[in-house]
Amino acid sequence: MWGFGGHFCYLDYARKASRDGFLKNLVSLSQEEPMLCSAADGTVVCVQSSMTPGKKLEGLVAATVTPMTPDGQINLSVIRKYVDYLVSEQNVKNVFVNGTTGEGLSLNIQERKQLAEEWVCQGKEKLDHVIIHVGALSLPESQELARHAAAIGASGIAVIAPFFFKPTNKDELTAFLQKVASEAPAVPFYYYHIPSLTGVKIRVEELLGGIKEQIPTFQGVKFSDTDLLDLAQCINKNEREQFAFLYGVDEQLLSALAIGADGAVGSTYNYLGQKTNLMLQAFAKPDLALARKYQFLTGEFLSFVIKLGFGVAQTKAVMTFVSGIPMGPPRLPLVDASEEFIVKAKAKLDSIVWPDGD
């Protein structure tokens, strides 16, 4: 059975297609309008998504945590509450699912599909963009995830560079990305650049030269690197293309905004989204002194927790005590945050006096 695993929530529009060749039909349908699909009794039911079509991806994008049960299974039951929390408490209406923070490469294909379905489903009429990371070491798996994201009505897909057998030049990387993007020909495509984890150090400035001819759906980059020279050249040389450049190093976001970044994708926007939105507002005024205060305070917290040891497991712990939503343990080889970390991180976050007085 392929579908929402009991979380089917789109009732406004339906189409039925026979199971024979249904995935091909789903991709065809999704090119006309975003669709969500579930299967029961041999019948596939497809329903219309209502993400914000055609709206440029900008502002804050939360790199979502993958909630898990105490025994390490994905916990779909809290996604609805998670969506409501991001929108109402953090004023964040864009999400990046199954990325680094979401432990995407530690999940199997079925788990990644279920999470993608649930985020798209629960984000209906609440979120502006649900971007699904579909990168994988295996090209066929990445292509399968891309087709699936198209079929369920995702707002966009993103792909990380393969990092075991690595592309060694622009042409090799572009060829891999093109093979994935072509499986979702109506879905905006984003390159996820994070060389500190992939070891793929091909400059994005170089990658973007002529990329629209190779990947017509290319819309931008999740730029998770501290090389602001590369980012600046990307922005400067591609102004006509209207690409979205989303910065992924949270503690340096203000610097990226100053050179033209459109927004950011990051884990801290799960729990510091409201504060970072205030920084964005201050920057836009412009009130750079106020914007710097917010950036410095975010940096103060991150500097503190990094010294304690900070990664995905610790992000899950912070999200749990800030949101009240149980995010559960990480998946091995990552291990739970220590109680000492949780106590110290919570005390530090509570001690920060923000400019808005909260």
Side-chain angles (χ1 to χ4, degrees):
M1 177 173 176
W2 182 91
F4 294 130
H7 294 270
F8 186 82
C9 66
Y10 282 6
L11 304 176
D12 55 343
Y13 179 85
R15 287 181 179 177
K16 292 185 178 180
S18 68
R19 186 173 289 275
D20 293 338
F22 86 91
L23 185 55
K24 180 180 178 181
N25 292 332
L26 295 185
V27 174
S28 176
L29 290 172
S30 72
Q31 292 170 20
E32 301 173 21
E33 52 192 340
M35 307 292 289
L36 270 167
C37 306
S38 183
D41 301 326
T43 300
V44 178
V45 179
C46 301
V47 290
Q48 186 178 24
S49 171
S50 62
M51 298 299 158
T52 307
K55 183 177 181 180
K56 184 177 181 180
L57 181 60
E58 58 188 357
L60 296 186
V61 183
T64 59
V65 166
T66 292
M68 292 189 181
T69 60
D71 62 352
Q73 302 302 306
I74 61 170
N75 185 4
L76 300 178
S77 68
V78 301
I79 301 295
R80 175 180 293 184
K81 187 181 292 185
Y82 195 163
V83 170
D84 291 341
Y85 158 82
L86 286 175
V87 173
S88 63
E89 300 295 326
Q90 301 298 336
N91 193 27
V92 172
K93 295 186 177 181
N94 306 303
V95 295
F96 187 91
V97 177
N98 290 339
T100 302
T101 302
E103 303 174 81
L105 275 299
S106 294
L107 306 173
N108 65 38
I109 295 294
Q110 187 58 31
E111 289 173 325
R112 292 176 70 172
K113 287 181 178 181
Q114 289 173 336
L115 283 159
E117 290 166 9
E118 194 66 13
W119 275 101
V120 171
C121 182
Q122 299 299 343
K124 182 192 176 189
E125 297 177 355
K126 296 177 181 178
L127 299 174
D128 290 338
H129 294 274
V130 177
I131 308 301
I132 307 298
H133 173 242
V134 301
L137 296 182
S138 160
L139 176 59
E141 287 185 359
S142 193
Q143 291 174 313
E144 180 180 344
L145 289 169
R147 290 191 296 270
H148 175 264
I152 65 172
S155 313
I157 59 174
V159 172
I160 199 171
F163 53 85
F164 188 78
F165 293 118
K166 300 179 178 66
T168 60
N169 57 51
K170 167 191 171 178
D171 291 341
E172 292 173 1
L173 177 55
T174 301
F176 183 91
L177 300 178
Q178 189 277 331
K179 287 290 187 181
V180 180
S182 64
E183 296 297 315
V187 180
F189 181 90
Y190 300 87
Y191 172 53
Y192 179 10
H193 179 61
I194 184 165
S196 61
L197 289 183
T198 64
V200 176
K201 301 185 184 299
I202 298 164
R203 291 175 64 80
V204 181
E205 174 194 359
E206 180 186 359
L207 177 69
L208 295 187
I211 199 162
K212 270 289 201 180
E213 286 84 44
Q214 299 292 320
I215 305 174
T217 53
F218 190 89
Q219 291 295 309
V221 180
K222 179 185 186 296
F223 193 101
S224 297
D225 188 24
T226 56
D227 186 351
L228 290 175
L229 175 60
D230 189 16
L231 177 62
Q233 291 303 299
C234 290
I235 294 168
N236 183 46
K237 292 185 176 182
N238 293 279
E239 203 167 346
R240 290 183 181 179
E241 296 289 357
Q242 300 275 309
F243 292 151
F245 291 98
L246 291 306
Y247 197 55
V249 184
D250 303 9
E251 60 271 29
Q252 296 182 357
L253 174 56
L254 188 56
S255 300
L257 293 174
I259 59 174
D262 298 289
V265 182
S267 60
T268 65
Y269 313 132
N270 284 288
Y271 54 89
L272 290 177
Q274 181 192 43
K275 304 305 181 188
T276 309
N277 270 314
L278 291 172
M279 185 184 83
L280 296 184
Q281 292 171 22
F283 177 78
K285 280 185 179 179
D287 185 342
L288 294 182
L290 180 58
R292 281 196 296 268
K293 287 181 181 178
Y294 280 105
Q295 184 71 93
F296 290 159
L297 290 170
T298 296
E300 180 182 330
F301 174 71
L302 289 175
S303 179
F304 178 84
V305 293
I306 286 169
K307 290 174 184 175
L308 296 176
F310 192 63
V312 171
Q314 290 72 26
T315 296
K316 285 187 138 177
V318 173
M319 259 301 284
T320 296
F321 70 68
V322 172
S323 69
I325 303 169
M327 293 299 166
R331 183 161 287 178
L332 288 169
L334 302 181
V335 296
D336 264 328
S338 67
E339 284 301 319
E340 179 185 11
F341 171 87
I342 294 169
V343 169
K344 289 183 176 179
K346 186 176 188 306
K348 180 61 179 178
L349 194 56
D350 289 345
S351 74
I352 294 176
V353 179
W354 298 91
D356 58 326
D358 187 4

